[in-house]
Structure formats: structure tokens, C-alpha cells
């Protein structure tokens, strides 16, 4: 075991009056420590008793006793200094305590006597072992500071411990100022303290084991997180590669269609030009004939030829003829195909996300003590529906008295949790989480500002995220089963269409400071909304 000097410095064991290591240290009621001689001299020269450190006044002069614990620490601190000085002087340093009877070569002491106030080697200890009067003396293992083991008032061994004042006393003390106190032999108190120290040591060792186990858990968690991250990276890369391949395929197909249309346009243009050039040749020939006949002086010949020359040669009507440009529908179809491809790959991403968060599934049960009196809960606590009429429920602070809500039994104040609810066949519902302290009475208008994070279906097909103001949600398909995921530390509440593997909505950047509870509102049953909300077991897809 390391010595006290390994942890303490001279400053920590220094009297604030003499600025030296404590000698016969005493403690005042204010908690400060001084050498007994120093504090006595200080008070002897003053008109009133006052702590030199904190200036606390004492109405009466305190009765001082040596603090054996601090005295022992100070002695332990002084020992290395003494050993060092004796070694420096070239003197033997085999033992810190030597026999006080040996006249020539000092031998190591075997025991110290608290009656004789001396330490003896094996030879000089013999009288204490043979003479009956000496056998009654109190022997202890050799110590250098014997005065610390002696009552300063009665000069008797400190053989007893006062549990009332938590200090060591002599036999005379127990008959005087400690007469009616609970005193026991120091050996008995020491044994009890050792037992307590043993319990403390066992507790510390258990704390060490707990922390070592926690380190192991954290390391395993990091390793598992690393494996999951690597798998997610690989899955994500495969999705992006598939998306890139699909985009490239769509691009190639679009370019092919555009090139084919371009070639078809060029062929059509060549045919048009060929026909136009033929017509131009024929028109030029006709124009030459007309010019020649117009310049003739043979009037009879002109009249004879006129019927065949007065009309233009037959030609095509080229007014509405044009080369068809690239159809806008081609680009639209390419865009739609690309969108379908992206949607398909994004569905895979959401599917991966759902698979990952489903590992945080919790068993949610409805709390009947919170249910509005119009609600009917199943015996297993997994279904809720509007009963259409008020039931005789006892009122309590936890129960919703106006809004048809019910909470889950279990609350969550850290980590992540996920649950799924079947909403099939319903025309109204409201799902999400709420904080523990929310008011359950009166009209409730749910929003994050009021401690509600939920998504709603109303009017058969109108979906909304209940923000402030609410956010309309355009869903391609009506969800049959809704997944709710919460990351407490991240401040995230997300909703998913489980069967279609699509994301519905997320509340992000929230600051949670208290327990969150799942909250359910099945909506009023007005004939078409009789189906219950059903908390479903999460069917996690195994990798």
C-alpha cells in the first residue's frame, strides 16, 4: 500500500501559524487544524478565542485534543525526511524506531510501551514479559511519536474511543468529561472501522467492476455500430450504384430515341428535298416554255398553245409540310421513367431505414387511467376505439376529459424507441408522442409547442403533420400501418408507411426534457370510423 506521503505534500500538513509540519495537531470546531502549542500561544496572547484562519469566534475557550489521524499522517510525512537525512549523514537507516535503552549500538525496537513511554529491543523488552507488574503495561508495535498515543491531559494511554465525539480518549477521560459517553476500546472501534472500510473497499471494487463492464459494453457497442455502419455503407453504395446504372440506362435509351428520331427526320427531309427539286425542274421547264411563247410573233401558234400553257404544272401543296421536331412527350416519358426509378431506389433506402430502426421496437400498452371516458380499450391493452357514449370512469388528473386521447403506459426519457399501429379501415386518427406534463383537461390543439408531435388523418383522405401551422401531406397511398420512431437525444420524431416502406413525415430539431409517452386518438365513430387503432407487434426483417 502506498504511503500517505505519496498523495500528500508538506503544504497540506502544514500549520498555518508556524508554517511547519503539524506537531500534536488539534482541530477546531470550524474544521481548521493547528499545532497544539501554536494555537494555545495564539489564544494566550489574545483577549478572545478566534480561529486564525476563518476568524470564527468561540464564546468559550475550546477544549483541545490531539487529532490522532492527522498526527499519524504528519508523522508518516516526517519519516521519509528523517530517513533521507540520516542516509545523507552516513548513519544506518535500517529502522525508524530504535531501542532507547541500548547504550552503544542502537538496536531496532521490537515494541513500544505506552506506560513507560519508551521503545525496547528484544533484549530490553524481557522485563515486560517476565515481571508481573510490567506485564500489565500497554505494548504496541514500535512507533516514534509515542506522545501521539498518550492523552495530553492525563498522560495515560489512549485506550478508548468516544463514539459521541469521535475521538480517542484515556481511561481517566471516560470517568471525567466523557463519563456518560459511548466509549469502547480502540481495538473494538478499529475492528469496526476495518469492517466498514472493508465494505467501502468492496463497494469501490464493485464500482471498478461496473465501470470495466461499462467500458466493455461501450467497446462492444462501438464495434457493433462499426459493423452496422459498414453494412449500411455497403447497402447505400449498392443503392446509389443501382440508381446511377438506372440513370445511365435511361440516358442511353433517351439518346438512342433522340438519335433515331434525328435520322428519321433527316431521311424525311431528303425525300422532301428530292420531291421539291423535281418539282422545281419541272417548273423551270414550264417557265421556259412560257417565256418562249410570250416572245413569239406567231399569234396563231400562241392561241393554239395557250390552253396547255395557261395552267401551272401539277405540284404538291407544301404549305403544311415540315420536319417534325423532337416530341416533348419523349422527354416527359424519360423524366417519368427516371422518377419511377428514383422512387424505387428511394423505397429501398426507406426500407433499409425501417429495418434499422425496427431494432428499437418496444412493447406499448394502453394506459386505461388516461383514456377519455368515450374510449373503449381491449383487455390486452392493444386496441382502442370510440364507443359512442360516455362511460362511468373515475376522474383523475391523468385522464383526458374532453379530447378522445389515451396514452401508452410506458414513458421514455432517453434513447430510441419505435412502435407500429394499424390504421386500416379508419377515416380519422391521430398518432404520435406527447410529453408527460401536458394538460389532459379541456380542448387540446396538438402541436410541438404544446408538447405534441403527431400526424393526423381527417375527412377520409386529408393527412396532416400537426405542426403550427399544420402541414398538408400528399401521400401516394393511404397507409394501412404507421410506424412511429423517436430518437430522444437527436430530437427526432418520424412517421413511416410500414407496408409501402415510405417516409410520411419527420419532426426534427426538437428539444426533449421530460418523459415522452405514445399518444393515440382513434377519432369519433360516426358510422364509418368504427375500426380500432391496433398496436401491432413489429415484424423485424432479419438480415
Amino acid at each position: 500500500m502506498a504511503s500517505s506521503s505519496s498523495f500528500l505534500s508538506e503544504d497540506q500538513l502544514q500549520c498555518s501559524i508556524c508554517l511547519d509540519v503539524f506537531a500534536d495537531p488539534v482541530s477546531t470546531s470550524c474544521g481548521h487544524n493547528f499545532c497544539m502549542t501554536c494555537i494555545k500561544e495564539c489564544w494566550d496572547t489574545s483577549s478572545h478565542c478566534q480561529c486564525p484562519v476563518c476568524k470564527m469566534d468561540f464564546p468559550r475557550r475550546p477544549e483541545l485534543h490531539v487529532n490522532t489521524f492527522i498526527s499519524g499522517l504528519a508523522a508518516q510525512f516526517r519519516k521519509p525526511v528523517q530517513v533521507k537525512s540520516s542516509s545523507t549523514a552516513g548513519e544506518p537507516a535500517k529502522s525508524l524506531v530504535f531501542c532507547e535503552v541500548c547504550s552503544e549500538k542502537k538496536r531496532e525496537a521490537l515494541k513500544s510501551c505506552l506506560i513507560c513511554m519508551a521503545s525496547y529491543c528484544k533484549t530490553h523488552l524481557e522485563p515486560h514479559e517476565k515481571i508481573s507488574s510490567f506485564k500489565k503495561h500497554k505494548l504496541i508495535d514500535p512507533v516514534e511519536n509515542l506522545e501521539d498515543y498518550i492523552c495530553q491531559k492525563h498522560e495515560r494511554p489512549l485506550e478508548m474511543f468516544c463514539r459521541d465525539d469521535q475521538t480517542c480518549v484515556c481511561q481517566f477521560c471516560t470517568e471525567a468529561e466523557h463519563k456518560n459517553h459511548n466509549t469502547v476500546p480502540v481495538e473494538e472501534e478499529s475492528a469496526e472501522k476495518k469492517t466498514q472500510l472493508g465494505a467501502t473497499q468492496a463497494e469501490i471494487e464493485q464500482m471498478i467492476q461496473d465501470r470495466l463492464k461499462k467500458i466493455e459494453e461501450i467497446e462492444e457497442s462501438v464495434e457493433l455500430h462499426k459493423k452496422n455502419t459498414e453494412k449500411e455503407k455497403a447497402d447505400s453504395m449498392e443503392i446509389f450504384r443501382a440508381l446511377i446504372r438506372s440513370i445511365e440506362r435511361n440516358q442511353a435509351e433517351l439518346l438512342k430515341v433522340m438519335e433515331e428520331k434525328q435520322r428519321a427526320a433527316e431521311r424525311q427531309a431528303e425525300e422532301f428535298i428530292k420531291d421539291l427539286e423535281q418539282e422545281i425542274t419541272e417548273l423551270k421547264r414550264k417557265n421556259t416554255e412560257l417565256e418562249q411563247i410570250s416572245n413569239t410573233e406567231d399569234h396563231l401558234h400562241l392561241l393554239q398553245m395557250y390552253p396547255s400553257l395557261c395552267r401551272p404544272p401539277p405540284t404538291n401543296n407544301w404549305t403544311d409540310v415540315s420536319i417534325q421536331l423532337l416530341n416533348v412527350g419523349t422527354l416527359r416519358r424519360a423524366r417519368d421513367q427516371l422518377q419511377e426509378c428514383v422512387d424505387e431506389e428511394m423505397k429501398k433506402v426507406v426500407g433499409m431505414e425501417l429495418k434499422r430502426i425496427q431494432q428499437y421496437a418496444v412493447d406499448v400498452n394502453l394506459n386505461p387511467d388516461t383514456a377519455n371516458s368515450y374510449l373503449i380499450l381491449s383487455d390486452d391493452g392493444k386496441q382502442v376505439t370510440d364507443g359512442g357514449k360516455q362511460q362511468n370512469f373515475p376522474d383523475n388528473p391523468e385522464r383526458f376529459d374532453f379530447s378522445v386521447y389515451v396514452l401508452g403506459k410506458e414513458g421514455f426519457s432517453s434513447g430510441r424507441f419505435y412502435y407500429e399501429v394499424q390504421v386500416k379501415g379508419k377515416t380519422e386518427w391521430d398518432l404520435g408522442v406527447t410529453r408527460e406534463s401536458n394538460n389532459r383537461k379541456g380542448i387540446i390543439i396538438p402541436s410541438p409547442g404544446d408538447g405534441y408531435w403527431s400526424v393526423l388523418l381527417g375527412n377520409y383522405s386529408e393527412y396532416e403533420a400537426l405542426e403550427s401551422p399544420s402541414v398538408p401531406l400528399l401521400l401516394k397511398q393511404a397507409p394501412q400501418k404507421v410506424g412511429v420512431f423517436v430518437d430522444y437525444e437527436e430530437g427526432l420524431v418520424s412517421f413511416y408507411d410500414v407496408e409501402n416502406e415510405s417516409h410520411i413525415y419527420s419532426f426534427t430539431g426538437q428539444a426533449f426534457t421530460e418523459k415522452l409517452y405514445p399518444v393515440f386518438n382513434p377519432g369519433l365513430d360516426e358510422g364509418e370510423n368504427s375500426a380500432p387503432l391496433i398496436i401491432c407487434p413489429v415484424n423485424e426483417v432479419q438480415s
Side-chain angles (χ1 to χ4, degrees):
M1 184 175 179
S3 67
S4 60
S5 60
S6 301
F7 306 97
L8 297 171
S9 66
E10 183 177 356
D11 292 339
Q12 292 171 292
L13 295 170
Q14 190 178 73
C15 174
S16 59
I17 298 176
C18 66
L19 302 180
D20 200 356
V21 177
F22 288 122
D24 299 332
V26 295
S27 301
T28 59
S29 59
C30 58
H32 295 106
N33 305 300
F34 310 92
C35 297
M36 179 176 283
T37 303
C38 294
I39 191 64
K40 282 184 175 181
E41 290 179 355
C42 178
W43 287 346
D44 288 341
T45 58
S46 176
S47 60
H48 62 284
C49 296
Q50 185 183 66
C51 175
V53 176
C54 67
K55 307 304 180 183
M56 177 179 176
D57 290 317
F58 304 105
R60 292 189 301 175
R61 183 163 178 164
E63 184 177 354
L64 300 175
H65 302 282
V66 174
N67 188 319
T68 56
F69 177 75
I70 299 177
S71 179
L73 291 178
Q76 290 295 320
F77 180 83
R78 286 196 295 268
K79 285 180 181 180
V81 178
Q82 293 168 350
V83 172
K84 182 177 179 181
S85 61
S86 62
S87 300
T88 306
E91 297 176 1
K94 295 181 180 179
S95 174
L96 298 177
V97 181
F98 299 96
C99 178
E100 298 180 22
V101 181
C102 294
S103 57
E104 296 180 357
K105 183 179 180 181
K106 295 286 186 181
R107 284 179 291 183
E108 183 179 349
L110 182 64
K111 291 289 183 179
S112 294
C113 178
L114 295 180
I115 303 299
C116 303
M117 291 297 291
S119 299
Y120 303 102
C121 64
K122 183 176 181 180
T123 301
H124 294 110
L125 187 64
E126 289 183 0
H128 285 78
E129 298 172 343
K130 295 179 179 180
I131 302 174
S132 59
S133 60
F134 282 144
K135 287 182 179 181
K136 297 179 181 179
H137 288 195
K138 182 73 171 181
L139 297 178
I140 62 173
D141 290 334
V143 293
E144 188 179 41
N145 51 326
L146 275 170
E147 64 275 8
D148 292 340
Y149 294 78
I150 300 298
C151 175
Q152 298 298 311
K153 183 175 182 180
H154 302 109
E155 296 184 351
R156 299 291 295 174
L158 297 170
E159 300 177 298
M160 306 297 288
F161 183 81
C162 178
R163 288 178 172 172
D164 293 346
D165 295 335
Q166 290 293 299
T167 185
C168 293
V169 297
C170 70
Q171 190 64 39
F172 288 171
C173 291
T174 63
E175 298 171 359
E177 60 267 29
H178 297 273
K179 182 177 181 179
N180 296 320
H181 291 187
N182 182 13
T183 57
V184 295
V186 292
E187 293 83 2
E188 180 180 337
E189 185 67 19
S190 176
E192 184 172 327
K193 288 293 191 287
K194 284 182 179 179
T195 302
Q196 294 173 1
L197 291 174
T200 302
Q201 184 180 8
E203 183 180 355
I204 291 174
E205 288 177 352
Q206 184 60 48
M207 291 172 67
I208 292 172
Q209 293 302 317
D210 292 343
R211 279 148 183 78
L212 290 173
K213 184 178 180 181
K214 179 56 68 174
I215 289 174
E216 185 178 347
E217 290 176 359
I218 292 173
E219 290 176 343
E220 289 177 355
S221 177
V222 170
E223 186 62 28
L224 178 61
H225 187 275
K226 181 179 179 182
K227 290 181 180 178
N228 289 339
T229 300
E230 292 299 324
K231 186 176 185 307
E232 288 184 14
K233 285 169 60 178
D235 292 343
S236 299
M237 290 304 297
E238 179 56 35
I239 287 174
F240 281 109
R241 281 194 291 267
L243 185 58
I244 291 171
R245 288 195 298 268
S246 179
I247 292 173
E248 291 176 342
R249 183 172 60 253
N250 276 270
Q251 181 188 36
E253 291 175 357
L254 177 61
L255 291 176
K256 182 179 179 181
V257 170
M258 294 172 70
E259 290 172 355
E260 288 178 352
K261 286 184 175 293
Q262 177 63 26
R263 286 193 292 269
E266 290 175 354
R267 289 194 298 269
Q268 187 181 39
E270 290 176 356
E271 292 175 0
F272 286 162
I273 291 172
K274 181 179 179 181
D275 291 344
L276 285 167
E277 287 178 343
Q278 289 177 351
E279 289 185 359
I280 289 172
T281 300
E282 181 64 24
L283 289 171
K284 285 182 177 181
R285 184 187 63 77
K286 188 71 171 181
N287 189 52
T288 301
E289 291 179 355
L290 289 172
E291 185 178 356
Q292 290 175 351
I293 199 65
S294 296
N295 294 326
T296 183
E297 296 296 330
D298 188 344
H299 303 292
L300 181 61
H301 180 67
L302 185 149
L303 293 174
Q304 290 174 342
M305 296 298 297
Y306 179 80
S308 61
L309 296 176
C310 67
R311 293 183 300 275
T315 58
N316 295 318
N317 183 6
W318 295 95
T319 303
D320 297 326
V321 174
S322 63
I323 301 299
Q324 185 177 0
L325 299 177
L326 181 63
N327 193 343
V328 176
T330 302
L331 292 175
R332 184 180 296 111
R333 284 192 298 273
R335 183 198 65 191
D336 293 342
Q337 290 174 359
L338 182 59
Q339 185 64 54
E340 290 177 5
C341 176
V342 171
D343 290 344
E344 186 64 28
E345 296 304 323
M346 289 306 298
K347 185 176 180 179
K348 293 179 182 179
V349 173
V350 175
M352 288 173 51
E353 186 176 343
L354 264 174
K355 180 179 175 182
R356 177 174 58 83
I357 65 177
Q358 281 174 337
Q359 66 180 307
Y360 301 105
V362 294
D363 183 21
V364 175
N365 297 283
L366 300 173
N367 185 353
D369 292 336
T370 65
N372 179 279
S373 58
Y374 279 83
L375 296 180
I376 297 176
L377 275 59
S378 62
D379 292 338
D380 63 358
K382 298 294 184 181
Q383 301 185 28
V384 58
T385 187
D386 175 36
K389 63 180 181 179
Q390 192 169 17
Q391 302 170 81
N392 186 22
F393 285 168
D395 190 21
N396 58 63
E398 297 179 350
R399 190 178 306 283
F400 291 91
D401 66 348
F402 186 86
S403 298
V404 287
Y405 281 106
V406 61
L407 300 185
K409 283 185 178 180
E410 300 80 12
F412 304 88
S413 56
S414 64
R416 300 167 178 172
F417 64 94
Y418 173 81
Y419 62 94
E420 294 178 352
V421 183
Q422 179 178 305
V423 297
K424 183 178 180 180
K426 297 194 66 59
T427 59
E428 291 183 15
W429 52 260
D430 178 355
L431 292 174
V433 293
T434 184
R435 63 190 178 204
E436 183 177 26
S437 65
N438 279 346
N439 180 32
R440 315 283 171 84
K441 309 303 180 181
I443 298 175
I444 294 174
I445 302 176
S447 70
D450 293 317
Y452 284 83
W453 295 267
S454 55
V455 167
L456 171 145
L457 165 64
N459 298 326
Y460 297 89
S461 61
E462 296 178 4
Y463 294 90
E464 296 179 10
L466 297 180
E467 294 271 15
S468 183
S470 62
V471 177
L473 302 176
L474 302 178
L475 305 183
K476 291 184 177 180
Q477 295 175 294
Q480 305 297 301
K481 186 186 294 184
V482 176
V484 183
F485 173 68
V486 176
D487 188 327
Y488 193 96
E489 283 73 22
E490 190 70 20
L492 172 71
V493 182
S494 293
F495 298 83
Y496 297 87
D497 182 338
V498 177
E499 294 184 354
N500 292 318
E501 294 186 336
S502 60
H503 175 251
I504 296 175
Y505 190 77
S506 285
F507 295 88
T508 60
Q510 307 300 307
F512 302 133
T513 58
E514 56 184 278
K515 271 189 178 182
L516 298 178
Y517 286 83
V519 61
F520 308 85
N521 181 342
L524 298 177
D525 181 8
E526 298 177 346
E528 299 182 16
N529 192 37
S530 60
L533 287 177
I534 304 175
I535 302 171
C536 305
V538 176
N539 300 318
E540 180 180 353
V541 180
Q542 300 296 325
S543 57

